[in-house]
Amino acid sequence: MSRPATPTPFTRQGDRVVDKSGVDLLQLAEEKGFNVKNVAEELGFTVIQLQRHVEAAIGLKPKDLFCNHRALLAKRMITEGMDLHDIGEKLGYLYYSHFCTDIKKFYGISPKQLEKKLRPDKVKK
């Protein structure tokens, strides 16, 4: 027997995901270092509850949503001219290699290649 569907407290508002009290899930994720457990605790959910609610609302697991958001933030920061290592650190990556892996998964190219594509004027000395 399956349990009845619980209404999700999250809704999509443009490119944002907002709970019924108006908390922006992606902004909260940024504040909590993109840690699903910390975000769930802040919202009063278990990790599983958060996962179910987010998947019901937008079709992605919170981890995947946060990873996608980080990649988009990284692209913006690259465009603004930030150093790649600084971007990885600012986005909460403990290891630069993990940052590179996530960027490559999302964009299909390395952060360095993405930087060259977005900022062709940047010349290394």
Side-chain angles (χ1 to χ4, degrees):
M1 179 191 285
S2 65
R3 79 179 116 114
T6 328
T8 179
F10 297 104
T11 56
R12 221 171 213 206
Q13 292 182 355
D15 60 347
R16 308 312 282 178
V17 179
V18 182
D19 81 355
K20 59 186 172 190
S21 67
V23 174
D24 184 329
L25 184 62
L26 295 174
Q27 183 177 346
L28 181 61
E30 287 179 44
E31 293 167 9
K32 298 295 178 181
F34 298 97
N35 183 296
V36 175
K37 183 179 179 204
N38 292 345
V39 170
E41 287 174 357
E42 181 71 22
L43 294 170
F45 296 125
T46 65
V47 171
I48 298 297
Q49 288 172 324
L50 179 65
Q51 183 172 321
R52 284 187 185 137
H53 287 308
V54 172
E55 279 188 276
I58 63 167
L60 285 174
K61 293 179 182 177
K63 181 180 177 182
D64 295 333
L65 174 66
F66 298 167
C67 191
N68 293 350
H69 185 62
R70 280 168 127 181
L72 294 170
L73 288 174
K75 182 178 179 181
R76 182 181 317 146
M77 291 174 188
I78 290 170
T79 303
E80 292 170 356
M82 282 184 69
D83 177 73
L84 294 176
H85 288 274
D86 291 344
I87 293 170
E89 189 177 306
K90 184 167 176 58
L91 293 177
Y93 287 97
L94 295 177
Y95 303 103
Y96 182 72
S97 61
H98 188 195
F99 168 67
C100 292
T101 300
D102 280 357
I103 294 300
K104 189 158 188 164
K105 272 188 214 172
F106 193 81
Y107 292 108
I109 56 177
S110 72
K112 194 65 162 162
Q113 292 168 320
L114 182 61
E115 181 181 52
K116 286 178 184 176
K117 184 176 179 181
L118 294 172
R119 302 197 64 230
D121 58 314
K122 185 176 179 186
V123 178
K124 282 282 185 192
K125 294 180 182 179

